[in-house]
Amino acid sequence: MTLLAIRDLYLHYRSGDRVVHAVDGVSLTIENKGEAVGIVGESGSGKTSMATALMRMLPRNVARFDGSILLDGQELTILSDDDFRRQIRWKKIAMVFQGSMSILNPVLRIGFQVAEPLLAGGEVSKREALQRAESLLERVGLPAGIAQRYPHELSGGQKQRVVIATALIMNPDLLILDEPTSALDVSVQAQIMNLLKDLKEDPGISMIFITHDIGLASDLCDHIAVAYAGQHAEFGSAERVLLDPHHPYTNLLLRSLPRLHETEPPQAMPGQPPDLTRPPAGCRFHPRCPWAFEVCFSEAPPEYPMADGGHARCFLNDAAVSGDRFQAHLRHWAESRV
Amino acid sequence: MLVEVTGGHVVFSTRKGVFRSGQVYALNGVELTIRRGETVALVGESGSGKTTLGRLTLRLVEPSQGKVFFDGKEITHASESELRPFRQRAQIVFQDPFSSLNPYMSVRELIEEPLIIDGEGSSQERRSRVDAALEAVDLLPASRFAAKYPNQMSGGQRQRVGIARALVRDPDYIVTDEPVSMIDASSRIEILALLDRLQRERRMAFLFITHDIATARYFADRIAVMYAGTIVEEAPAGAVIDTPMHPYTQALIAAVPEPDPANRFKRRPVVPGEPGSADGRVVGCPFYNRCPHRMTGVCDTITPPLAEWESGHRTACHLYDSRYATLEPQSGSPLVRTDLQYSPMNGR
Ligand SMILES: Nc1ncnc2c1ncn2[C@@H]1O[C@H](COP(=O)(O)OP(=O)(O)OP(=O)(O)O)[C@@H](O)[C@H]1O
Ligand SMILES: Nc1ncnc2c1ncn2[C@@H]1O[C@H](COP(=O)(O)OP(=O)(O)OP(=O)(O)O)[C@@H](O)[C@H]1O
Ligand code: SF4
Ligand SMILES: [Mg+2]
Ligand SMILES: [Mg+2]
């Protein structure tokens, strides 16, 4: 059965007398256990907002929150806050927050911090909770005895492992990771990525992996969603999105990456990210898109379905609208494949 | 040679608890040279001493051993008053856009401040120099940006202000220190392209401190790789990335994720263990305890010198020393072992 199906999710914030369209019609599916979906995109594209909507950990200034979130066939949006907290948050869906390494409590022993959600639930004894914390700490690759230590005695990579263990303590089916390695060195990052690969396989945790680095997403994710201005400009299998992108933004994102063994410098992304209180009319990407044509300025492209089950929100995929531009751009894309 | 450090050691004293004090060996015999108009990138893990080395070349710290030269003149132990003319020619740009600018100063005040400190020019002259610096970093129109405060600008714009603040003194040498940051790759490329342009226009020398070795390739002439307070490899940028020699550099490069959908089916080769420590003096090679190729009896007793085994490509590793060629490294090639990786079973 489909693990997670998000349909037409909206999350808007009030900001003064304006509305921030942080999540503005997002759909996303995770079919299987142990599958990882990457959400990549620039700062401010609404990645964290979508995650907080899934965790229902919303700020007070929410202006709009609706859509459908099916987890294992259960509609989550109709649950009361109490039921959501009792049944879903941490138990079914857990999250490693952006920058959470730095919010470990400095005066609590590691083992206790990891066990805390279990203790708060009050369903197991303290002894049992601590035991489970210790075995999880071992599972995420930390040396024995770390449960007795304090956060300041740990390296950055070790702290991130602790945070991951904390998220796993209630045996969730879905783990959301928001930029879990962005404060770490590449070598430590690689160690954490290997750990996440292990957890995907055994016990088969499904993941939503949020990052601004599409290269890093390819290290873990079976599917990739490319977030732009509160929507997903493109979604599909990692193979399709990385090797055969059908949205100009994805294409430019790939070309803005530095490549180790290429002598051509990366190309900076043109323009600035849009102001989400006033998303551009027409295609949201049109002000920055080198390939924009008439219709892009006035009409919003729908999600054109792709053969891999994904989609791309770009008129170039509609030969009836874009005419021979379509072929030209496909050729261009083909030439700039990774 | 514009910048030169020979045998540089820096030791910091720290307080550990109330009665114990400790020593941090931040730099352990570093050799570094930068020519006029050249960009050298300094890469390496957190705590390896990159910032300390940058500060040493600027004489913001004093070495406990070794020498520091600028433009042929020794400044190892020069006093602050002796350093005055040098201070104007060598600048540091902190690339953390959120903590490095005083939030209560306008952009004009921020950029003018160094000139006031130097006692440079009339207020009219200073005004036009600030405008010129803003124009050089593409903050246009200059007069509009000069009136802003840091919180009214984006991260990228704040970084540009930081650069303008260094440029206004018209330096010969700039150190840019980039934190492990969350800044989007594309906005970082923009800043680097700007620095690259400025450097070509003004023939400044750059020490470019970064965690991103892939980007370093495009913006640096040479890359120096640091590990635990020493430079373990140093060569033209392309050579370091395409034919890395030191086992640490090899591991560093293997860890960079490039976008490839096949990545997820492979585990990444990683060096086991924790980052190098600066807590004690190391005997032998600082990478010994994590190195997949260490030769016991040599690597743990003799410190490998940074030697030029190939033309223009220097590395501090005994593997390339013919005297030890008969010894069997702990593993054969390929040099980066893929079997020594994190596994939940061996719990590294
Ligand atoms: N509580 C809030 N109130 C008002 N606006 C908010 C709030 N939280 C986020 N925003 C705005 O919503 C938009 C999306 O923010 P979000 O944090 O989801 O982006 P992101 O993709 O996670 O960015 P980053 O990569 O920087 O983490 C941004 O314009 C942001 O400024
Ligand atoms: N003023 C200081 N007092 C005591 N120890 C210091 C001081 N400055 C740096 N150190 C220590 O010296 C070592 C090298 O630090 P340095 O900041 O140069 O590393 P780095 O390579 O710049 O790291 P990062 O990538 O995290 O910026 C570290 O162990 C650090 O904790
Ligand atoms: S000197 Fe020895 S321990 Fe050090 S990197 Fe070379 S082989 Fe490894
Ligand atoms: Mg975010
Ligand atoms: Mg530093």
Side-chain angles (χ1 to χ4, degrees):
Chain A
M1 184 187 337
T2 302
L3 177 77
L4 177 76
I6 303 174
R7 289 287 162 264
D8 297 319
L9 188 68
Y10 288 82
L11 176 61
H12 293 175
Y13 306 111
R14 270 188 312 276
S15 167
D17 50 8
R18 297 225 182 117
V19 172
V20 185
H21 298 240
V23 180
D24 215 23
V26 163
S27 301
L28 187 80
T29 313
I30 300 182
E31 287 297 339
N32 304 307
K33 188 173 145 94
E35 188 176 305
V37 175
I39 301 186
V40 303
E42 288 169 301
S43 200
S45 54
K47 306 182 295 294
T48 299
S49 296
M50 194 203 80
T52 50
L54 285 180
M55 288 289 283
R56 215 190 278 185
M57 293 176 84
L58 305 172
R60 288 221 189 118
N61 60 332
V62 168
R64 173 179 180 189
F65 174 40
D66 57 68
S68 159
I69 304 172
L70 286 175
L71 183 72
D72 258 336
Q74 182 187 15
E75 177 59 61
L76 301 188
T77 48
I78 56 173
L79 291 179
S80 70
D81 284 352
D82 263 356
D83 286 343
F84 190 90
R85 185 173 41 78
R86 267 198 296 271
Q87 302 168 22
I88 309 295
R89 192 184 301 142
W90 302 119
K91 298 196 172 134
K92 297 251 173 82
I93 308 177
M95 180 161 169
V96 169
F97 293 94
Q98 198 165 3
S100 52
M101 258 163 53
S102 54
I103 58 170
L104 285 173
N105 189 330
V107 299
L108 281 185
R109 288 186 201 277
I110 295 297
F112 193 76
Q113 304 208 33
V114 174
E116 174 130 49
L118 265 184
L119 293 169
E123 283 153 35
V124 298
S125 71
K126 184 169 175 189
R127 210 186 123 109
E128 233 178 289
L130 286 173
Q131 249 164 23
R132 174 145 168 73
E134 269 183 53
S135 73
L136 252 181
L137 286 166
E138 199 185 314
R139 178 70 186 82
V140 298
L142 289 166
I146 205 129
Q148 271 67 50
R149 298 215 239 148
Y150 292 95
H152 74 267
E153 299 173 88
L154 272 53
S155 69
Q158 289 176 326
K159 279 189 219 166
Q160 194 56 273
R161 287 175 195 267
V162 169
V163 173
I164 292 170
T166 310
L168 294 178
I169 192 94
M170 311 288 273
N171 278 324
D173 303 320
L174 175 65
L175 178 62
I176 305 170
L177 299 130
D178 194 355
E179 302 276 9
T181 65
S182 52
L184 302 172
D185 287 315
V186 280
S187 338
V188 184
Q189 169 180 288
Q191 293 179 356
I192 298 286
M193 295 309 283
N194 282 347
L195 167 65
L196 295 178
K197 284 177 202 181
D198 290 344
L199 294 170
K200 241 175 94 175
E201 256 168 50
D202 173 24
I205 295 175
S206 304
M207 301 184 188
I208 292 180
F209 184 80
I210 298 175
T211 174
H212 61 266
D213 180 351
I214 194 166
L216 191 63
S218 81
D219 207 15
L220 182 77
C221 302
D222 307 288
H223 286 85
I224 292 179
V226 180
Y228 190 79
Q231 301 178 335
H232 289 169
E234 181 154 12
F235 175 67
S237 68
E239 280 75 12
R240 221 264 304 138
V241 171
L242 294 168
L243 302 179
D244 191 18
H246 274 60
H247 195 288
Y249 178 64
T250 315
N251 195 258
L252 290 170
L253 203 59
L254 285 166
R255 286 198 276 157
S256 72
L257 282 182
R259 298 298 166 88
L260 274 176
H261 300 290
E262 263 172 41
T263 45
E264 273 300 294
Q267 293 173 20
M269 179 73 69
Q272 294 299 318
D275 174 358
L276 291 190
T277 60
R278 276 170 300 182
C283 169
R284 299 205 165 180
F285 190 56
H286 90 259
R288 301 170 76 182
C289 181
W291 299 293
F293 54 102
E294 303 80 8
V295 62
C296 311
F297 292 74
S298 54
E299 275 176 58
E303 295 185 342
Y304 289 102
M306 299 282 126
D308 64 344
H311 72 254
R313 270 188 199 256
C314 169
F315 284 122
L316 289 175
N317 297 290
D318 189 341
V321 182
S322 66
D324 56 359
R325 286 185 192 84
F326 182 63
Q327 288 309 322
H329 295 299
L330 278 190
R331 221 179 308 120
H332 185 101
W333 277 328
E335 280 159 14
S336 57
R337 279 182 180 192
V338 280
Chain B
M1 215 48 73
L2 188 67
V3 177
E4 190 168 2
V5 174
T6 58
H9 287 254
V10 169
V11 185
F12 293 110
S13 298
T14 55
R15 217 168 239 289
K16 282 185 180 168
V18 190
F19 300 109
R20 285 189 304 154
S21 69
Q23 309 274 301
V24 178
Y25 297 87
L27 294 181
N28 301 303
V30 170
E31 312 282 332
L32 180 75
T33 56
I34 308 174
R35 281 185 287 275
R36 198 176 281 279
E38 188 185 33
T39 299
V40 174
L42 207 52
V43 301
E45 64 193 2
S46 199
S48 57
K50 302 181 298 297
T51 298
T52 306
L53 178 53
R55 288 165 51 84
L56 180 63
T57 65
L58 294 169
R59 259 308 317 281
L60 294 170
V61 284
E62 212 172 318
S64 52
Q65 276 178 59
K67 289 182 174 163
V68 186
F69 299 89
F70 187 81
D71 207 4
K73 190 165 174 278
E74 186 176 343
I75 53 170
T76 315
H77 301 293
S79 66
E80 246 345 280
S81 64
E82 289 166 332
L83 285 172
R84 264 196 96 114
F86 161 72
R87 291 261 176 265
Q88 296 177 26
R89 297 179 59 193
Q91 297 291 312
I92 186 158
V93 176
F94 294 101
Q95 286 191 245
D96 178 359
F98 296 100
S99 62
S100 57
L101 299 178
N102 182 339
Y104 301 107
M105 285 168 84
S106 72
V107 167
R108 177 170 304 284
E109 288 164 340
L110 281 164
I111 300 175
E112 194 179 7
E113 189 184 32
L115 295 177
I116 295 175
I117 293 171
D118 298 346
E120 286 262 326
S122 65
S123 75
Q124 194 58 48
E125 276 160 17
R126 289 199 302 266
R127 196 172 181 84
S128 63
R129 280 178 72 174
V130 171
D131 289 348
L134 281 169
E135 272 158 32
V137 298
D138 295 331
L139 287 177
L140 299 168
S143 55
R144 210 185 94 218
F145 273 97
K148 292 199 181 201
Y149 284 80
N151 67 2
Q152 297 170 318
M153 293 181 300
S154 71
Q157 290 170 338
R158 285 185 235 196
Q159 272 181 307
R160 284 165 197 265
V161 171
I163 295 168
R165 209 170 127 85
L167 279 183
V168 75
R169 282 172 150 156
D170 206 9
D172 297 318
Y173 171 54
I174 291 188
V175 176
T176 65
D177 197 350
E178 188 179 88
V180 197
S181 64
M182 305 247 326
I183 305 171
D184 280 319
S186 60
S187 61
R188 195 167 65 215
I189 303 279
E190 251 177 74
I191 293 291
L192 290 171
L194 168 72
L195 290 173
D196 200 45
R197 193 197 78 210
L198 290 169
Q199 184 203 28
R200 269 182 285 108
E201 285 169 6
R202 304 183 179 212
R203 264 181 63 74
M204 290 179 293
F206 266 103
L207 182 63
F208 164 44
I209 300 176
T210 180
H211 282 262
D212 182 355
I213 192 166
T215 312
R217 173 177 204 136
Y218 305 107
F219 297 101
D221 302 303
R222 287 184 293 139
I223 296 177
V225 182
M226 290 200 77
Y227 186 81
T230 60
I231 290 178
V232 295
E233 181 156 3
E234 189 264 317
V240 169
I241 290 177
D242 294 333
T243 53
M245 293 176 80
H246 196 280
Y248 174 68
T249 314
Q250 292 170 350
L252 194 66
I253 288 168
V256 176
E258 298 223 89
D260 178 351
N263 283 341
R264 68 187 194 275
F265 303 116
K266 297 178 276 205
R267 309 180 100 260
R268 222 160 251 293
V270 296
V271 265
E274 289 298 313
S277 146
D279 289 350
R281 256 185 211 288
V282 182
V283 182
C285 172
F287 194 52
Y288 175 78
N289 59 351
R290 299 173 77 190
C291 180
H293 312 295
R294 60 181 171 227
M295 300 174 289
T296 308
V298 177
C299 303
D300 52 345
T301 50
I302 306 165
T303 304
L306 184 62
E308 190 164 338
W309 306 111
E310 275 171 29
S311 165
H313 197 145
R314 303 195 298 160
T315 190
C317 172
H318 293 310
L319 287 174
Y320 300 93
D321 191 332
S322 57
R323 280 176 294 175
Y324 310 124
T326 55
L327 287 175
E328 192 58 34
Q330 197 182 321
S331 74
S333 46
L335 277 179
V336 173
R337 285 180 62 175
T338 50
D339 54 334
L340 257 186
Q341 60 202 8
Y342 159 77
S343 135
M345 304 312 152
N346 68 17
R348 296 304 290 257

